[in-house]
Amino acid sequence: MGMVVLDEIHFPSGQPLKEIIGGSGSYSTLGARLFVVPSQSSSIGWLIKAGKDFPASAHRRIESWGTNLLFKREADRMTTRGRLVYTGTSHTRKHFEYLTPTLTISPSDFCDTPMLHSLCFHTLAEPVEVIHQVQDLLQLRKAASNDAKPLIIWEPRPSSCIPANLDAFREAARTVDIFSPNHVELTAMFVDGPSEVALSMVAEHALSFVRSGIGQSGQGCVVIRAGEEGCFVASQTCEPTWLPPYYERNEATGHACVIDPTGAGNAFLGAFAVGFIKTDNIYDAACYGAVGSSFAIEQVGLPELSTSGGDRELWNEECVMERLRDYQNRLTA
């Protein structure tokens, strides 16, 4: 239930880049689409609300992915646009602001569409929002004679990550299956004001959510996306584990393959969703996530898709499943 946003990206040096397709909806869909062969690409649902000024070139690129796309154009509204400003060379210091009123997506937008019956939903929301979204979604599905509970992946809205909302976060986490803030957002739920992010405390804070319960039965999992530190996964039935990122830092070259981390966390969760549905294993799903996010950070904007015949396709001239096997082999070496 994320948005498509046309971004204006400012780096510390150089001219700003404009009309870049972004937003949590774009990148989470990317992460999922990476791991689905072309003949099954329509199994990925993508609902977009766009304004009257949405570029035709962006529309064509989105359509080229072959997803089950529902494109709703708001004839009297402007497309959601945002400005992202990086202020540090490591890409860890940034500021984002919307430049136009947002075209948000709610569960009611899925009424009378196949997407209402999806196996999984990803949302970026505040605690109160996600509680209402889950309630509305389940009620709409029940009204459509579908009592099956989908997998719900929740990415918290960064501005809501403050200590005053900690109890609300714990309550909301019990309504979803996967709770996934990044390491900075998680720390901000416990510490008021800017603070150094200590990985030992990230793990402890994450485990406190596992102890208080994630999901209706408490069997959900926490996935902390931590950028160049990788990710931390845990549940009541799975051993807490740190997994490295696909691109690990090289002392000589730094992160030479990392061009722009925008959207990496969203792409991680889209890939994680497909991995979890395929394997029913959070460690395997996290491997999908690590590889999915690696394709998001190799360029500014979305990666390039090309095909090489049949169901074989390449993203940035690489095979996704080969990259996944490479990553898994590294973990077991």
Side-chain angles (χ1 to χ4, degrees):
M1 286 182 275
M3 294 185 294
V4 171
V5 181
L6 294 182
D7 285 332
E8 177 183 300
I9 303 178
H10 296 252
F11 293 101
S13 59
Q15 293 295 315
L17 301 174
K18 299 183 179 182
E19 302 283 88
I20 304 298
I21 302 173
S24 63
S26 299
Y27 280 100
S28 60
T29 303
L30 165 68
R33 177 62 182 83
L34 286 168
F35 290 94
V36 177
V37 295
S39 62
Q40 298 175 7
S41 61
S42 61
S43 65
I44 305 296
W46 193 0
L47 191 155
I48 297 175
K49 283 187 177 180
K52 58 186 178 181
D53 59 333
F54 196 83
S57 59
H59 194 174
R60 287 193 297 270
R61 187 170 187 190
I62 286 168
E63 283 187 318
S64 72
W65 290 4
T67 61
N68 183 2
L69 179 65
L70 178 58
F71 193 88
K72 291 186 174 182
R73 190 178 291 276
E74 305 280 334
D76 59 343
R77 302 280 301 277
M78 302 298 288
T79 296
T80 304
R81 295 177 181 270
R83 179 187 291 121
L84 177 63
V85 180
Y86 287 108
T87 57
T89 56
S90 66
H91 296 126
T92 57
R93 297 174 60 190
K94 60 184 180 181
H95 171 73
F96 177 81
E97 62 178 338
Y98 288 110
L99 301 177
T100 62
T102 59
L103 298 174
T104 57
I105 294 173
S106 66
S108 62
D109 290 311
F110 298 112
C111 284
D112 301 319
T113 75
M115 295 179 203
L116 180 62
H117 305 284
S118 297
L119 295 175
C120 176
F121 291 87
H122 163 266
T123 184
L124 190 155
E126 297 181 3
V128 172
E129 281 183 297
V130 77
I131 290 174
H132 290 308
Q133 286 177 349
V134 172
Q135 290 174 342
D136 292 348
L137 187 61
L138 295 180
Q139 288 173 358
L140 289 169
R141 285 165 67 98
K142 186 174 183 179
S145 302
N146 185 349
D147 290 324
K149 188 180 183 303
L151 184 75
I152 304 292
I153 298 179
W154 176 31
E155 183 178 353
R157 193 176 304 282
S159 60
S160 67
C161 297
I162 57 176
N165 288 340
L166 183 57
D167 288 342
F169 272 107
R170 295 198 190 282
E171 179 184 359
R174 298 186 187 104
T175 70
V176 302
D177 302 288
I178 313 294
F179 176 50
S180 184
N182 66 33
H183 58 316
V184 175
E185 293 158 354
L186 180 66
T187 299
M189 295 176 198
F190 290 84
V191 180
D192 201 4
S195 174
E196 291 293 324
V197 178
L199 294 186
S200 60
M201 292 308 299
V202 167
E204 182 53 38
H205 293 330
L207 289 173
S208 76
F209 275 95
V210 173
R211 290 190 293 268
S212 63
I214 299 172
Q216 292 181 347
S217 63
Q219 298 302 305
C221 68
V222 64
V223 180
I224 308 302
R225 296 159 290 119
E228 66 180 17
E229 304 296 341
C231 69
F232 178 82
V233 296
S235 73
Q236 291 187 1
T237 57
C238 297
E239 190 73 19
T241 302
W242 279 98
L243 294 173
Y246 181 80
Y247 287 123
E248 298 188 71
R249 185 175 180 82
N250 182 296
E251 291 301 325
T253 62
H255 289 292
C257 294
V258 179
I259 304 301
D260 178 14
T262 304
N266 308 132
F268 180 105
L269 291 177
F272 182 98
V274 173
F276 191 81
I277 289 171
K278 285 185 174 182
T279 69
D280 195 30
N281 182 291
I282 64 172
Y283 304 130
D284 289 338
C287 291
Y288 278 67
V291 171
S293 64
S294 72
F295 283 93
I297 63 180
E298 294 175 340
Q299 67 289 306
V300 176
L302 301 169
E304 292 295 331
L305 168 63
S306 61
T307 58
S308 56
D311 259 350
R312 179 176 170 81
E313 62 183 8
L314 303 176
W315 293 83
N316 288 351
E317 300 303 317
E318 287 204 31
C319 172
V320 176
M321 295 308 295
E322 289 177 4
R323 184 176 288 191
L324 175 63
R325 286 191 289 272
D326 170 65
Y327 178 73
Q328 292 173 323
N329 288 337
R330 281 160 45 191
L331 294 181
T332 57

